[in-house]
Amino acid sequence: MKILGIETTCDETAAAVVTLDDGDRGRILANEILSQIAEHAAYGGVVPEIAARAHVEVLDRLIARALDRAGTTLSDLDGIAVAAGPGLIGGVLVGLVTAKTLALVARKPLLAVNHLEAHALTPRLTDGLAFPYLLLLASGGHTQLVAVKGVGDYVRLGTTIDDAIGEAFDKVAKLLGLAYPGGPEVERLAETGNPERFALPRPMLGRREADFSLSGLKTALRIEAERLAPLASRDVADLCASFQAAVVDVVVDRVRVALRGFGAVAGHPTALVVAGGVAANGAIRRALAAQAGEVGLSFVAPPLPLCGDNGAMIAWAGLERLRLGLVDDLTAPARARWPFAKAS
């Protein structure tokens, strides 16, 4: 079984080919990703119209390159998977229309994949992980704690009531005048800063529900920055370190709460998993690995190239769905919003 995956939901254009090896494990044959960071840097964030036009300009070429590097052709494929949302609707439409056209011309099954579900299933591609497992899905637009019980079977244990983790990192970076994308810049400077200099709050710490709130933390940092202005380079590094330390403490606490509620909805977890763009943050990965070790669980995080948006995760999610006969027709809609987990 061999699947082409297409991803255009935000500011990465991606195409990949994934197959199953003889042991029924996923294997990436090609994974082409073209970032649009340079196009959006001047604006300090993603501009939807620029993103959609950039996808149009490169997607056909990227698909051709992925097929070539995988040593395969459209006729050799068993299906065509595409991220049909959630995301910036212009970009989603570019990928979806392209996938529908290819599926129609090549007479292949279409698999309209939820972008968030693809993140959730990535550890089954990379590590062959068995269900059920606890997932921290953390990105610029989403922060959720989810019991992943099976393909299409997800229970949300907690979510953010305001900012997503990645969004908070990016807003802090912009407030401190750091380069875009901001999250990696905050992490880089935090490595040289003093995380104890500023007594920033840990929102929701100790709450019974596994929800997140980060807007108050962001506001507290802004107040400290305004009090010290103009900021010296040491101030910026210490603010980044203090902010990241607060986020790590919140994440660990919220995961503990989710683990306590996991058994009631899904039994015993096979692992603690982090996925999404924020999964690339080293401090968060280390803290979660330690937390998993404390409770006797394996910790799984995707390789760094698979933390952000990519075609391989879309192809794999399509393959998982195709094996269960979950095929879509050409009326599959593009979705700006598309919840993938039901509330517990």
Side-chain angles (χ1 to χ4, degrees), residues 214-277:
L214 295 169
S215 64
L217 171 59
K218 180 189 63 187
T219 300
L221 182 138
R222 177 179 56 79
I223 291 171
E224 291 287 357
E226 290 174 348
R227 180 177 64 83
L228 292 171
L231 297 174
S233 58
R234 172 51 53 191
D235 298 328
V236 173
D238 291 346
L239 283 166
C240 288
S242 299
F243 170 78
Q244 181 170 269
V247 171
V248 167
D249 287 348
V250 168
V251 166
V252 169
D253 180 74
R254 304 290 77 204
V255 167
R256 285 197 189 105
V257 173
L259 284 169
R260 288 199 291 268
F262 189 94
V265 299
H268 185 71
T270 60
L272 170 60
V273 174
V274 63

Side-chain angles (χ1 to χ4, degrees), residues 141-230:
H142 304 275
T143 296
Q144 300 180 44
L145 283 159
V146 178
V148 180
K149 301 171 65 177
V151 177
D153 189 3
Y154 313 102
V155 179
R156 189 177 69 246
L157 301 171
T159 188
T160 180
I161 62 175
D162 40 58
D163 289 349
I165 294 175
E167 180 184 7
F169 267 90
D170 288 342
K171 287 180 177 178
V172 163
K174 193 168 186 177
L175 187 152
L176 296 176
L178 303 181
Y180 174 84
E185 284 295 296
V186 172
E187 181 184 9
R188 182 182 66 82
L189 289 172
E191 293 176 358
T192 66
N194 176 7
E196 298 180 356
R197 179 178 170 188
F198 299 100
L200 298 179
R202 270 66 171 163
M204 308 291 280
L205 213 68
R207 296 285 186 93
R208 291 174 53 191
E209 304 81 14
D211 292 327
F212 293 79
S213 174
L214 295 169
S215 64
L217 171 59
K218 180 189 63 187
T219 300
L221 182 138
R222 177 179 56 79
I223 291 171
E224 291 287 357
E226 290 174 348
R227 180 177 64 83
L228 292 171

Side-chain angles (χ1 to χ4, degrees), residues 324-339:
L324 297 175
L326 302 175
V327 175
D328 297 279
D329 61 32
L330 297 181
T331 65
R335 306 177 193 231
R337 298 182 180 274
W338 190 3

Side-chain angles (χ1 to χ4, degrees), residues 7-22:
E7 159 62 41
T8 57
T9 59
C10 192
D11 60 342
E12 280 95 13
T13 312
V17 179
V18 168
T19 189
L20 289 174
D21 62 19
D22 293 337

